[in-house]
Amino acid sequence: MTLPQWWYDELRSLAVRSRQVVLLAAITGAVTGLAVSLYELVVVEVLIDTVLNAPIWAQGLIPVVGLAITAVILRYGGPNATPSTSDEYIKRFHDPGERLSVRRAAARITASIATLGSGGALGLEGPSIYLGATIGSRIHHRLPPRFRGESRTLLVAGAAAGVAAIFKAPATGAVFALEVPYRDDLGRRSLLPALVAAASGYLVFVTIEGTAPLLRIEGLSGFELRNLVAAAIVGVLSGLSARWFSSALRWAKKYGTETNPMLKVVLAGTATVTVFIIGRLATGESLTLENGLGVVNWALDPEQTVWLLVVVFGLRFVATTASVAGGGVGGLFIPLVVAGALLGRAVGGLVDSSEESLFAVVGIAAFLSAGYRVPLAAIMFVAETTGRPSFIVPGVIAAVAAELVAGSASVTPYKRAPDILGTNES
């Protein structure tokens, strides 16, 4: 049987387009990985380290100055730039015809450096995903029309690379970029470019920063069956807490965009200074300014008491809410991770378990799953960042329990229900 010539032409065209998509996704990922490594260097290794080595009185005031600088940058650097980062990616995913403005991107990234570099209790992953999405979007629009293909392909690829790079977790980056735009669904048509870009972004980043896992998990290589019941309990508690956490953060976002800039900086700054002082008195450390993963590693210390873990949980919650309400620019992924680790570790302390690290890890999976509604990305995150794939099973149980309890709560209002006809991805 001889196939019509147009079949061969279509197959040849599909093969060419597929190679182009893979190549462009790899380029997008590599550029994003390099950009994220430079961003991380400036924020963490230069600015945050400088803040943490400053006199105590200066440490308490620097975040307030950072919020004030952020407000000025967003107001005059925009135009009309908001503090949103990950939310901007989700909005553009559902409205791919609108370009991500380079000028607004520059304002948001610069503002995020002011917020995070001064010790704001937010995460680097928000600006990283936004930076990658902007790079992917601009590459797409610079291509000749015959090379462009589907409009959101490189947007997703860049976002995936941004997450993969900042967390040294390629699978997490690909899954998060596909999962976060929807409730209970994935953007499946962009899977291949997301995987390719996440891999290339990761490779570029770890070439510069090294491949060591982000979280230090020692002395625990597996789990016992009784821990699965405990994982479900942590999941339920995380789901309930995440509902409260999500509502507060969504209120803070609204407050931060509608309130007078000077007033919100003063009020948020007052809250930030207050929790910093309480944190120093309680722990002797600057945990409200510390990089989020540094707080997780602090919580993994078996010497930390339950009451201290609960206090730091509350302080980090207030610090994160204040940063968002004050117009700070940063991500909410890491604040959810920190909250989950502290909650899980506290539960482990209450039941007098010798496996505190496991409780912290399942808490991360559960809180992240419930807060962002990304169960697959949450499970991949704990597996990749700990280097312990054996944590997947208890992580799944905790994430599912948290999802069921959390209901429709989410830290972002822009997620959409899946389109069963597939028109959302046309």
Side-chain angles (χ1 to χ4, degrees):
M1 177 180 177
T2 304
L3 296 176
Q5 181 62 38
W6 64 269
W7 275 50
Y8 292 106
D9 293 340
E10 284 294 322
L11 289 173
R12 187 179 300 109
S13 176
L14 177 62
V16 171
R17 289 198 303 272
S18 298
R19 289 196 297 270
Q20 291 170 351
V21 167
V22 169
L23 177 60
L24 291 171
I27 293 172
T28 299
V31 174
T32 300
L34 179 60
V36 170
S37 68
L38 294 174
Y39 178 79
E40 194 264 353
L41 172 67
V42 171
V43 173
V44 177
E45 298 183 27
V46 176
L47 296 178
I48 291 181
D49 281 355
T50 300
V51 171
L52 293 176
N53 289 320
I56 300 300
W57 65 266
Q59 290 184 31
L61 295 177
I62 288 173
V64 184
V65 176
L67 286 177
I69 295 173
T70 298
V72 172
I73 293 171
L74 292 178
R75 182 175 180 85
Y76 298 104
N80 301 319
T82 65
S84 300
T85 51
S86 296
D87 283 354
E88 287 299 308
Y89 162 66
I90 299 172
K91 287 193 289 185
R92 293 302 174 266
F93 182 95
H94 294 302
D95 185 16
E98 186 174 347
R99 301 181 186 183
L100 288 170
S101 165
V102 173
R103 184 174 173 183
R104 288 179 186 170
R108 286 189 175 103
I109 296 300
T110 306
S112 74
I113 292 174
T115 298
L116 300 172
S118 64
L122 298 171
L124 276 70
E125 82 291 334
S128 296
I129 194 173
Y130 177 65
L131 181 60
T134 302
I135 290 171
S137 176
R138 301 313 302 178
I139 290 176
H140 170 82
H141 286 291
R142 290 288 183 180
L143 292 172
R146 61 188 293 263
F147 290 103
R148 287 182 181 176
E150 209 279 317
S151 58
R152 66 163 61 90
T153 299
L154 296 186
L155 177 84
V156 173
V163 176
I166 199 65
F167 291 142
K168 301 182 184 179
T172 301
V175 173
F176 183 79
L178 297 171
E179 194 175 19
V180 73
Y182 292 114
R183 296 194 296 270
D184 306 317
D185 200 7
L186 288 169
R188 297 175 297 278
R189 295 186 184 180
S190 301
L191 177 59
L192 180 60
L195 288 170
V196 171
S200 63
Y202 164 80
L203 289 173
V204 170
F205 187 87
V206 299
T207 298
I208 300 171
E209 300 291 337
T211 59
L214 294 187
L215 301 179
R216 300 193 305 266
I217 304 294
E218 299 176 356
L220 187 63
S221 59
F223 62 91
E224 299 177 2
L225 291 179
R226 63 185 177 87
N227 295 136
L228 300 183
V229 176
I233 295 172
V234 172
V236 170
L237 293 175
S238 295
L240 292 172
S241 300
R243 294 184 69 159
W244 166 59
F245 205 83
S246 298
S247 297
L249 290 177
R250 290 180 69 167
W251 169 85
K253 287 182 180 182
K254 184 177 180 181
Y255 179 87
T257 56
E258 296 179 354
T259 306
N260 177 276
M262 182 176 294
L263 176 62
K264 70 183 181 185
V265 168
V266 170
L267 294 178
T270 301
T272 300
V273 172
T274 301
V275 296
F276 171 78
I277 294 172
I278 296 172
R280 288 292 308 189
L281 292 174
T283 68
E285 299 185 47
S286 303
L287 294 178
T288 58
L289 309 182
E290 180 71 67
N291 176 274
L293 295 176
V295 180
V296 174
N297 287 323
W298 172 87
L300 290 173
D301 183 350
E303 298 299 320
Q304 308 302 346
T305 61
V306 171
W307 77 267
L308 200 57
L309 291 163
V310 173
V311 167
V312 174
F313 177 91
L315 293 176
R316 288 289 301 192
F317 166 74
V318 174
T320 297
T321 305
S323 293
V324 174
V329 181
L332 296 176
F333 190 116
I334 283 298
L336 293 172
V337 167
V338 172
L342 291 167
L343 179 62
R345 176 66 179 77
V347 172
L350 284 174
V351 300
D352 197 25
S353 171
S354 61
E355 300 175 348
E356 297 96 343
S357 296
L358 177 62
F359 279 84
V361 169
V362 299
I364 291 172
F367 219 102
L368 180 56
S369 174
Y372 248 128
R373 310 310 304 275
V374 288
L376 292 178
I379 295 161
M380 292 306 304
F381 177 80
V382 299
E384 289 189 290
T385 56
T386 63
R388 304 294 177 90
S390 60
F391 290 162
I392 289 178
V393 173
V396 167
I397 291 174
V400 170
E403 280 275 312
L404 293 175
V405 173
S408 60
S410 173
V411 295
T412 175
Y414 298 107
K415 295 173 76 75
R416 291 187 185 178
D419 186 339
I420 60 175
L421 298 179
T423 54
N424 279 345
E425 292 188 76
S426 60

